[in-house]
Structures are given as C-alpha cells and as structure tokens.
Amino acid sequence: MENGDAKLVILAQRGDREAYRTLVGKYWRVLSALAYQTIGDREEAEDVAQEAFIRAFAALPRLKDPRKFFPWLLAIMRRISLDRIRARRRRRTQSLGDLPEEIQPSTGSDLEAVEERDEAIAALRAIGRLPERDRIVLTLRYLLEYEPHRIAEILDEPDGTIRNRIFRALHRLRRLLDHG
Amino acid sequence: MDDRRRDAPLACGEVDAIIREALGPETDAAGRQAIEAHLRACGRCARRYEGILEADRAAATAFRWARETFRPREDLPIERAGAFAPLPRGPFVLARRPLNAILALAGIFILCALAMWLAYFAYRFLSEKGHVGPDASPARVTRVRLRIVAAALVRYRIEHGALPEPSIVWRELATRDRDGDPFLDPASFSPGLPVRDGFGRPIRYEVVDETSRAPRFRLISSGPNASDESGGGDDIVEGER
C-alpha cells in the first residue's frame, strides 16, 4: 500500500473524518465495481460498498497494519457480498446467474451509448466469473488505471506476480468472452 | 528491452514475456517494434496477442462504464457505525471490557502466585545450601547470638546493679527478672545454655575494669580459625566500649 494511504489510514484511526472520506473517494469505485461483478446489481453493489466502508470505519482502530488497509477492506466487502448473495438465494427472488437490471432490453434513444453500456456490462459479468485475485488486479488496473508496480504495493505482492496475473486474467477473460 | 531482443528474431516464449511487460509502461519503441516484427511473422502469437488486446479493450470498456457509473455517495453515513470513536488503548481497554478486565486480573493473580511459589522454593533451597537466610553463615550467626547475650547482660545489670560473675553467667542469665521473663531464654538457642557461637564453640564472657565503678563486659567468639586471640585476629567481639 502506498505511504499516502497508510498516512490517511493512521489519521482516520485517530478520528480524522476527512482522511477517511479521502480513502472512501479513492476506493469507492473499486469496491462498487468488485461488488457489482459478484452481485450483478448496481444499486446493491453500491450498498455493499457503502456498508463495507461503514463497517471498516467502525473497525478501523483494530486494523494493526495501516499498509494493509485495502486487502482488509476487500475482505470486509467480500463477507458482505457473500451475505447478500446467501440472503438473495434464500429469498429466491433472483439468483447470481440471472441478468442484472442493467442488461434488460433498453428503450433509450442513444443506441450507441446503450450498446456500449451493454458491452461493458457483459464484460463486467465475464470479469465477475474470473477468480477473485484476477478480478481485483483487473479492477485496480483498469478502473483506477494503476500501473502494476502500484498494484503490487497495494496488494503487498511482488511486481512480477501482478504482471503475470494481469496477463493470465486477460487470457481467461478473452476465453470467457469468446465462449460466453 | 535489451539489445539481443532488438536485433535477433524473437521466440514465441519471449513474446509472451514481452506482452506481459507491455501491460506496463516500460516497453520502449524498440521493444514494440521487435514485438510487431515477430507478430507479423508468427500467426499463433499474433492471434494470441490479438486476443489479449481484445480482452484489454473489453476490460477498459467495462471499467470505463464502472468509473462513470459508480460515484462516491456524498452522504456516506460513516457516523452511523459509531465511528470516529477510536477504541481505547492500554489499560483503558480493560475498563471498556469487563470480561477482559476479569481475565487480566485472574492472569495477574496466577502469575503472582506462581512467582511467590517459585520464590519460596528458591529460598528454601538456598537456605538449605546455606547461601541465604538468617543462619546463612556461622560468623553472622555468631554476631547475632553475641548481641542477644549482650542485651541480656545489660538487662541483668539494670535489674541487679552488677554484671554476673563469669563462672556463673549462664546460670544467672537463665534466671527470671521481676516480670517473670528469663534474661536469656534457653529455648531460643541450640543446644540451650551456655550459648555457643555459630561455629559450635563456647562463647567467652569477661568483665573488663572489674574494679572500677562501672565495669564493662566483652563477649568473644574465637571466630572461624577456632583460635582465641583475645579479641584480635578473626575473633568476633561484642561488648561495651
């Protein structure tokens, strides 16, 4: 994790709201996108992200190593996502394999934009079928446009490992896109 | 990209590695040219690379949409979770968590009991070996015993107005004062009276300035070398100056 993030986490642990809001701003999209890949519903994905940030904030003083904030936040988000998926299965109103709301036939006038959106959603659904480690690196790489070395810092892993993972993830993604 | 890669045709395995690197910003123009040259010549790698690019474009499209769609909520209710109240640290944690406090106190109690138990047995062991304790060394025992006898003699003189004769000193000290207490309790010494020094030898008692109006006494132990040197050498002496 970057030193800047670690500093923000330490400040937030001391009760600095603005520092935490900065972290929220930085990682909101990543968490929402990752939750969306698993859940397939935009509103619910953002709810998951919100709940993850709230829970993380409440538990922040217990985070011993501020450099591991992001992996820790991911773990919280993962638990919330799984809880929601289980609850959804219990309700039997919608399963993970169902189409998310965004992919329903659109009646929008801007056909190109709609097509691009549908493409994006289909790609996100495919990404959602990748192993979690691959999803995380792709999200950081393409959503935040982080270089591999920066992702390596955030995830506390070697640079080469991250490059390999991005490469393999793209291979897998291509196969998923080809074969549906 | 090193010179070898620039000049020589690339193997397929090398292209894989370079494509991997190309995902980062490090591949320079020469490196890209080498890759392109290989891709023009190798259909398998070209298809592979094209597939990677396709996935790269799809991921970029997907996340561009995600970036535009997911915007941080301005009204994130982080205070809802009781946040911004950092947990207390150190001893204050115990005050907030009674169970922890009880466990901590129980732990401290057990540790103290264990420490005392160990100290007790260590003391007993060392006492038996003669390293510590009131009877640690014969010389020390001798000094203590001489002081006790000296105190008894002072009490005797106060009671009777004179010191006892050396020949009958132990018998006289075994008598009782007007309160009924013995000047010297034989039960306090082993093996009773006459009192022996810490080396197990008799203590010599003598009256100094016997003819003066205020005679003084001296108690002498012959000390570790067992030789009575009349208060000199290693003799241990207690008395009035």
Side-chain angles (χ1 to χ4, degrees), chain B residues 3 107 114 119 128 220 237 240:
Chain B
D3 291 341
L114 192 65
E128 282 168 12
I220 300 169
V237 182
E240 294 173 310

Coordinates of all heavy atoms in Angstrom, one line a residue, chain B residues 3 107 114 119 128 220 237 240:
Chain B
D3 N 19.5 -5.3 -26.1 CA 19.9 -5.3 -27.5 C 19.7 -6.6 -28.2 O 19.4 -6.6 -29.3 CB 21.4 -4.9 -27.5 CG 21.6 -3.4 -27.1 OD1 20.6 -2.7 -27.2 OD2 22.7 -3.1 -26.8
G107 N -5.2 -13.4 35.5 CA -3.9 -13.8 34.9 C -2.8 -13.2 35.9 O -1.8 -13.9 36.2
L114 N 2.3 -17.8 41.2 CA 3.4 -18.7 40.7 C 4.8 -18.1 41.1 O 5.7 -18.8 41.5 CB 3.3 -18.7 39.2 CG 4.1 -19.7 38.4 CD1 3.7 -21.1 38.8 CD2 4.0 -19.6 36.9
A119 N 9.6 -18.3 44.4 CA 10.5 -17.6 45.3 C 10.6 -18.4 46.6 O 11.7 -18.5 47.2 CB 10.0 -16.2 45.6
E128 N 18.8 -24.1 52.6 CA 19.3 -25.5 52.9 C 20.8 -25.5 52.5 O 21.6 -26.2 53.2 CB 18.5 -26.6 52.2 CG 17.2 -26.8 52.9 CD 16.3 -27.7 52.1 OE1 16.7 -28.3 51.1 OE2 15.1 -27.8 52.5
I220 N 33.4 -12.9 73.6 CA 34.3 -13.1 72.5 C 34.1 -14.5 71.9 O 34.0 -15.5 72.7 CB 35.8 -13.1 73.0 CG1 36.0 -11.7 73.6 CG2 36.8 -13.4 71.9 CD1 37.3 -11.6 74.4
V237 N 33.8 -10.0 68.4 CA 33.7 -9.5 69.7 C 32.4 -8.6 69.8 O 32.1 -7.9 68.9 CB 34.9 -8.6 70.1 CG1 34.8 -8.0 71.5 CG2 36.2 -9.4 69.9
E240 N 30.8 -3.6 75.6 CA 30.7 -2.2 75.8 C 32.0 -1.5 75.6 O 33.0 -2.0 76.0 CB 30.2 -2.0 77.2 CG 28.8 -2.5 77.4 CD 28.3 -2.4 78.9 OE1 29.1 -2.9 79.7 OE2 27.2 -1.9 79.1

